[in-house]
């Protein structure tokens, strides 16, 4: 990196709904209230049934659950006809449109209803919330777990030119070092050379490079040897209270997106090309900076009354894409490589441009949307992948040859034909896409120059989905990236690194060569969250 900063079909696993087995998490409980009987032979009534085929693992408060799949039959074997309405309530959780109750039209198959995007925003941790499905007079419940909030201290290492590591010293750190201070943190994210972390009280502290005022301290001085700076401020000097970070991945640019305590999206730092979707006159050449948090996405919301912003993904110096509660995707900034997918001209500036498909219709039913420097990748509620922009490194299998450009969203190939349930991206100039399929396997495609993809080599995976090599017995929960390294958080709280070692990425004192399969980072306890910066700094919240 730079020596110093620059300004198929789902396979059905049937689970009994009476007397749930111990391994079923969460447990599924069925209650039936005077079941309706279809016309049948006397003494052999036909009873409709409801069964939860798939329920997702627990999430932290503010996060979104993976899919819930429900099977509804008229007689215990025959799926109800296509179009049959199945009512589902999730209160106090919310569907992607913000409602707590909806009716879904059955598909006519055993997978009658598949529900994506149930959100735990605003729900306290440490509870199990019943999802209630009703057909006729048959009722079934599946409990979705919202984990208790976990908190701890931040441990950081790697490139430390501007004080990113937060331990009161400058210079590269090759082993994890704890941030100064006694704050307890629940979530962390990164930017160009900056970390932001949310405390248990909702305040934010930040370290590192302060270009454009991204530390949100109403100034522009780096944190240097002072350690974490905070609490973060709004642009008018008030303390900013956060509910969760808004960005889908650590940013390439000096920009951070965060939802406030009322769920409104804010941004701080650089607004290149108009990424913030606010009409402040920013262009790619004359971008403005904000040294305190301000509301963002206002131009997009003005075109979408009644909708809310679910997440935002920043592509670096030029554009950002916004996922809305109705499953559509909107963009703001400069249309570099036509990656907005709006069929617009390259490098044209937009404050609110909607991603569309080849037919000209809006891209819909999107549950995740991520930006790399030259492209965008989208995951829909059916487990399909879509892509737009330039396939610079073959990170978008199915879009076309390496280097091909799509100005609208086009279908991508599924890894080994399997349904995808989660995606991540390396948003730096080393562009790649990672996809988790329904069987839990992780794949990557694109640039792998330093071996950060943990596929056993530092060669790229061009237009091909390659399996990520994961340590035996481990399951990946989350992935973040520095510029040239990948950080992998496992479900058991252990953290692993793969990639270039020059800034001490493995956290073991090693600074030479590349790590092409994951190596464990030594930490004093289980990790809660992870983050990286473009300048190859890494940070982990370790539970106290």
């Amino acid at each position: 990196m730079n020596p110093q900063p620059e300004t198929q079909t789902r396979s059905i696993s049937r689970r009994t709904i009476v007397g749930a087995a111990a391994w079923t998490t969460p447990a599924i409980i069925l209650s039936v209230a005077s079941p309706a009987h279809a016309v049948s032979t006397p003494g052999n009534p036909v009873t409709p049934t409801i069964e939860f085929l798939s329920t997702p693992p627990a999430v932290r408060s503010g996060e979104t659950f993976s899919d819930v799949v429900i099977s509804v039959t008229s007689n215990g074997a025959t799926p109800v006809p296509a179009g049959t309405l199945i009512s589902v309530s999730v209160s106090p959780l919310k569907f992607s449109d913000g409602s707590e109750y909806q009716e879904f039209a059955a598909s006519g198959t055993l997978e009658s209803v598949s529900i994506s995007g149930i959100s735990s925003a605003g729900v306290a941790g440490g509870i199990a919330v019943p999802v209630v499905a009703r057909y006729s007079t048959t009722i079934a419940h599946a409990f979705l777990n919202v984990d208790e909030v976990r908190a701890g201290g931040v441990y950081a290492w790697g490139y430390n030119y501007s004080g990113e590591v937060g331990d009161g010293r400058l210079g590269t750190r090759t082993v994890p070092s704890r941030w100064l201070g006694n704050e307890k943190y629940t979530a962390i994210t990164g930017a160009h050379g900056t970390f932001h972390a949310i405390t248990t009280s909702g305040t934010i502290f930040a370290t590192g490079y302060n270009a454009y005022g991204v530390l949100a301290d109403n100034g522009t001085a780096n944190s240097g040897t002072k350690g974490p700076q905070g609490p973060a401020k709004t642009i008018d000097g008030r303390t900013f209270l956060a509910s969760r970070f808004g960005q889908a991945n650590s940013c390439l640019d000096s920009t951070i997106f965060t939802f406030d305590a009322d769920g409104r999206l804010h941004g701080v730092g650089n607004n290149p090309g108009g990424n913030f979707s606010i009409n402040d006159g920013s262009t790619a050449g004359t971008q403005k900076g904000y040294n305190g948090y301000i509301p963002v996405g206002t131009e997009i919301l003005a075109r979408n009354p009644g909708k809310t912003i679910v997440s935002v993904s920043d592509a670096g110096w030029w554009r950002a894409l916004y996922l809305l509660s109705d499953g559509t995707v909107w963009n703001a900034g400069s249309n570099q490589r036509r990656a907005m997918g709006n069929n617009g001209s390259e490098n044209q500036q937009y404050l609110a441009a909607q991603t569309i498909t080849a037919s000209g219709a809006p891209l819909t039913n999107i549950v995740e949307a991520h930006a790399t420097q030259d492209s965008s990748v989208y995951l829909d509620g059916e487990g399909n992948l879509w892509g737009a922009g330039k396939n610079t490194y073959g990170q978008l299998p199915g879009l076309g040859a390496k280097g091909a450009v799509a100005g609208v969203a086009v279908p991508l190939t599924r890894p080994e034909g399997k349904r995808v349930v989660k995606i991540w991206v390396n948003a730096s100039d080393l562009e790649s896409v990672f996809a988790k399929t329904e069987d839990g396997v992780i794949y990557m495609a694109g640039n792998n120059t330093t071996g950060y993809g943990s596929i056993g080599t530092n060669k790229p995976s061009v237009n091909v989905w390659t399996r990520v090599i994961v340590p035996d017995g481990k399951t990946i929960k989350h992935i973040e990236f520095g510029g040239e390294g990948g950080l992998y958080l496992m479900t058991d709280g252990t953290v692993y690194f793969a990639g270039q070692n020059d800034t001490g990425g493995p956290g073991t004192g090693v600074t030479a060569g590349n790590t092409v399969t994951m190596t464990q980072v030594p930490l004093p306890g289980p990790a809660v969250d992870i983050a990286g910066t473009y300048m190859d700094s890494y940070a982990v919240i370790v539970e106290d």
Side-chain angles (χ1 to χ4, degrees):
M1 305 312 302
N2 298 328
Q4 55 185 6
E6 301 288 339
T7 304
Q8 90 222 151
T9 301
R10 174 192 294 271
S11 58
I12 300 175
S13 175
R14 303 278 300 201
R15 297 181 181 179
T16 179
I17 49 179
V18 180
W23 52 263
T24 305
T25 303
I28 300 169
I29 301 173
L30 173 67
S31 61
V32 179
S34 302
H37 294 169
V39 176
S40 59
T41 303
N44 294 291
V46 177
T47 303
T49 65
I50 301 175
E51 181 176 356
F52 284 81
L53 299 179
S54 174
T55 50
V59 300
R60 293 184 302 181
S61 179
E63 294 181 335
T64 299
F65 289 94
S66 52
D67 291 0
V68 173
V69 181
I70 305 171
S71 178
V72 185
T73 75
S74 57
N75 58 9
T78 305
V80 295
T84 302
L85 294 180
I86 312 300
S87 63
V88 182
S89 60
V90 295
S91 179
L93 303 174
K94 290 181 172 56
F95 293 109
S96 58
D97 65 356
S99 67
E100 297 179 349
Y101 171 88
Q102 284 192 23
E103 290 186 328
F104 295 87
S107 66
T109 70
L110 280 176
E111 294 186 337
S112 306
V113 175
S114 181
I115 307 172
S116 300
I118 297 175
S119 172
S120 66
V123 177
I127 64 171
V129 179
V131 174
V132 182
R134 294 179 175 86
Y135 166 62
S136 184
T137 54
T138 301
I139 305 172
H141 303 74
F143 287 92
L144 302 187
N145 291 315
V146 183
D147 279 347
E148 290 185 299
V149 175
R150 298 167 59 205
V154 173
Y155 287 77
W157 68 101
Y159 189 75
N160 191 35
Y161 180 85
S162 304
E164 293 92 323
V165 171
D167 64 353
R169 299 174 291 172
L170 298 179
T172 297
R173 291 283 172 275
T174 61
V175 296
S177 185
R178 184 163 179 146
W179 275 14
L180 298 179
N182 298 315
E183 297 287 346
K184 303 295 184 185
Y185 300 93
T186 62
I188 191 165
T189 194
H192 183 86
T194 303
F195 290 114
H196 277 219
I198 300 174
T199 70
T200 52
S201 63
T203 58
I204 292 177
F205 284 73
T207 63
Y209 187 46
N210 200 16
Y212 302 98
V214 70
L215 294 188
D217 61 354
N218 294 157
T220 55
N222 299 339
S223 65
T225 59
K226 295 177 290 186
Q229 299 299 288
K233 308 293 186 190
T234 62
I235 194 65
D236 58 2
R238 294 175 291 111
T239 297
F240 180 77
L241 293 178
S243 57
R244 62 185 176 95
F245 289 118
Q247 54 206 59
N249 46 267
S250 293
C251 290
L252 168 62
D253 197 18
S254 292
T255 307
I256 297 286
F257 293 94
T258 308
F259 288 98
D260 70 11
D262 296 320
R264 295 171 297 189
L265 185 66
H266 286 63
V268 66
N270 193 15
N271 183 30
N275 289 16
F276 282 178
S277 187
I278 58 175
N279 194 9
D280 68 349
S282 288
T283 68
T286 60
Q287 63 262 35
K288 294 184 178 180
Y290 295 87
N291 61 9
Y293 274 102
I294 62 167
V296 298
T298 54
E299 293 294 318
I300 289 173
L301 290 176
R303 288 161 175 79
N304 292 275
K307 307 299 188 300
T308 58
I309 297 169
V310 174
S311 66
V312 60
S313 184
D314 190 271
W317 294 292
W318 307 116
R319 66 185 171 88
L321 59 81
Y322 295 71
L323 175 62
L324 300 191
S325 56
D326 63 350
T328 60
V329 179
W330 289 72
N331 307 263
S334 180
N335 194 17
Q336 184 179 5
R337 314 301 190 198
R338 303 187 70 198
M340 288 184 175
N342 67 328
N343 205 25
S345 301
E346 183 164 7
N347 297 325
Q348 176 70 39
Q349 184 176 345
Y350 300 90
L351 292 179
Q354 187 172 18
T355 300
I356 62 174
T357 65
S359 69
L363 181 66
T364 59
N365 193 29
I366 300 303
V367 295
E368 285 193 54
H370 298 257
T372 73
Q373 185 166 288
D374 292 340
S375 65
S376 301
V377 61
Y378 320 95
L379 173 64
D380 71 22
E382 303 302 318
N384 302 305
L385 294 173
W386 298 74
K390 186 174 182 180
N391 195 20
T392 310
Y393 296 103
Q395 74 271 20
L396 303 174
L399 182 139
K402 179 182 176 181
V405 175
V408 296
V410 299
L412 305 181
T413 59
R414 291 179 172 188
E416 298 185 18
K418 294 183 289 190
R419 183 176 180 274
V420 176
V421 297
K422 175 68 182 174
I423 54 176
W424 300 270
V425 300
N426 185 337
S428 78
D429 45 355
L430 304 184
E431 302 173 60
S432 59
V433 177
F434 289 66
K436 179 180 180 180
T437 53
E438 57 190 334
D439 57 358
V441 178
I442 310 288
Y443 299 80
M444 69 87 62
N447 190 306
N448 184 44
T449 302
T450 65
Y452 65 79
S454 187
I455 58 175
T457 179
N458 60 1
K459 295 181 179 180
S461 181
V462 180
N463 281 333
V464 175
W465 292 108
T466 301
R467 289 192 177 212
V468 173
I469 300 171
V470 182
D472 289 345
K474 300 293 182 178
T475 301
I476 293 174
K477 180 179 181 179
H478 185 50
I479 309 173
E480 283 285 357
F481 299 94
E484 297 178 333
L487 211 57
Y488 299 82
L489 173 62
M490 304 299 174
T491 54
D492 63 0
T494 56
V495 175
Y496 287 74
F497 172 86
Q500 188 158 306
N501 301 335
D502 61 343
T503 64
T508 59
V510 174
T511 57
N514 295 332
T515 300
V516 298
T517 56
M518 297 179 201
T519 184
Q520 187 170 355
V521 177
L523 295 169
V528 174
D529 201 7
I530 58 175
T533 75
Y534 176 66
M535 300 307 297
D536 288 316
S537 312
Y538 304 93
V540 172
I541 297 174
V542 175
E543 189 171 14
D544 288 335

